[in-house]
């Protein structure tokens, strides 16, 4: 029975300027940067520092990116893991992994712990529908709740979790002192898509006199930030394959078609 680490510690090089759009979410998460940088100021005046936030939104909208950027801005280590890493067939492994994760985090405080797909362990207790032992999953969730309640010992560890299924989460996770803040992130609107394109177009070789970001934003309703990143990279790949010197609109058009094709495939698998 291995409790081998399933979480990675990294120094984040991402900053808020890498996260386009998401204005409100950034404002909300910025508070955590201040806590992490100068927790003494808050404690001295008697404030209890929020334990963490849950980032809610569809896939590819920048939840992981925003959590990483928070670590980058606060200049603290970033521990990342996924809820599914705690779901194990062997009894006791899930809770042990949760304990390991928080032990590491405490040693490295101040720091950020990020749990993607929290719903894999945070699904409401007493409801079935998950492969593997349900008791085991409940024990893992209970261990997570215990760790988050350890306020005195968990001093400067901030926990972020991400999900696109807030409806199935155990309400216990959302109580004060646990994931007290809920930050919702939706697919980007026109203006946000333009901002995200601007970030992802920056490293590309283009005719900079043309406003591609604006054009492309209007062609991509319903695209997530991740889809936009894909469009930009696909266009570059297509242009390179055709031995073009610069990327032009026809490469972007082909890239958009390809990304839409990929999305359609994914949807037909799901339905
Ligand atoms: P998932 O739910 O699938 O884990 P997520 O919401 O965590 O998705 P990220 O992993 O943060 O999404 O985003 C994937 C990639 O998409 C990012 O690394 C980045 O390249 C791009 N991206 C997404 N949103 C943004 C954004 N707001 N600004 C810039 N890039 C973005």
């Amino acid at each position: 029975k291995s409790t081998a680490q399933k979480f990675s510690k990294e120094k984040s090089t991402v900053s808020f300027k890498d996260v386009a759009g998401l204005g409100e979410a950034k404002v909300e998460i910025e508070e955590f940067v201040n806590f992490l940088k100068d927790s003494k100021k808050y404690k001295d005046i008697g404030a209890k520092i929020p334990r963490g936030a849950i980032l809610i939104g569809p896939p590819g909208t920048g939840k992981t990116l925003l959590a990483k950027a928070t670590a980058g801005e606060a200049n603290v280590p970033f521990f990342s893991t996924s809820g599914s890493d705690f779901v194990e067939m062997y009894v006791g492994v899930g809770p042990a992994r949760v304990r390991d994760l928080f032990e590491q985090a405490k040693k490295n405080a101040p720091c950020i712990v990020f749990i993607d797909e929290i719903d894999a362990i945070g699904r409401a207790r007493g409801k079935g529908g998950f492969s593997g032992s349900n008791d085991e999953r409940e024990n893992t969730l209970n261990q997570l709740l215990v760790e988050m309640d350890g306020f005195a010992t968990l001093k400067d560890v901030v926990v972020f979790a991400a999900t696109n299924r807030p409806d199935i989460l155990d309400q216990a996770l959302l109580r004060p002192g646990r994931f007290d803040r809920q930050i919702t992130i939706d697919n980007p609107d026109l203006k946000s898509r333009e901002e995200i394109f601007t970030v992802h177009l920056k490293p590309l070789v283009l005719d900079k006199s043309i406003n591609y970001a604006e054009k492309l934003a209007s062609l991509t309703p319903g695209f997530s930030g991740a889809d936009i990143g894909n469009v930009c990279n696909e266009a570059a790949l297509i242009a390179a394959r055709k031995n073009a010197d610069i990327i032009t609109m026809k490469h972007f058009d082909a890239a958009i078609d390809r990304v839409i094709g990929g999305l359609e495939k994914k949807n037909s698998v799901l339905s």
Side-chain angles (χ1 to χ4, degrees), residues 187-249:
N187 269 329
D189 60 11
L190 180 69
K191 184 159 174 300
S192 299
R193 289 200 301 280
E194 186 177 336
E195 288 168 16
I196 299 172
F197 267 114
T198 303
V199 167
H200 287 269
L201 290 172
K202 201 162 266 164
L204 304 186
V205 178
L206 318 154
D207 178 350
K208 301 281 175 188
S209 72
I210 300 172
N211 190 346
Y212 281 110
E214 190 182 13
K215 265 185 210 266
L216 292 165
S218 67
L219 294 173
T220 49
F223 278 43
S224 68
D227 299 332
I228 289 172
N230 282 343
V231 165
C232 293
N233 198 54
E234 281 294 335
L237 291 173
I238 292 167
R241 196 174 322 122
K242 302 209 157 143
N243 300 317
D245 293 331
I246 61 168
I247 305 164
T248 64
M249 199 60 205

Side-chain angles (χ1 to χ4, degrees), residues 83-155:
S84 54
D85 293 337
F86 296 95
V87 181
E88 272 285 336
M89 308 210 323
Y90 297 109
V91 175
V93 173
R97 277 191 186 145
V98 173
R99 267 195 305 275
D100 283 354
L101 171 63
F102 280 87
E103 212 159 278
Q104 292 266 336
K106 279 182 256 184
K107 273 190 209 146
N108 286 277
C111 69
I112 290 177
V113 168
F114 178 68
I115 309 173
D116 205 355
E117 299 175 45
I118 184 77
D119 39 285
I121 42 175
R123 184 179 286 256
R125 283 164 290 184
K127 288 189 187 153
F130 204 85
S131 58
S133 154
N134 248 345
D135 287 350
E136 172 65 1
R137 194 180 52 74
E138 285 185 16
N139 290 340
T140 305
L141 173 56
N142 286 332
Q143 187 62 38
L144 176 63
L145 296 174
V146 165
E147 296 289 349
M148 292 198 69
D149 285 341
F151 192 84
T153 52
L154 202 56
K155 286 190 219 73

Side-chain angles (χ1 to χ4, degrees), residues 61-79:
T61 42
K63 300 183 290 299
T64 308
L65 191 68
L66 187 62
K68 232 183 235 182
T70 309
E73 292 286 341
N75 197 19
V76 299
F78 183 71
F79 287 88

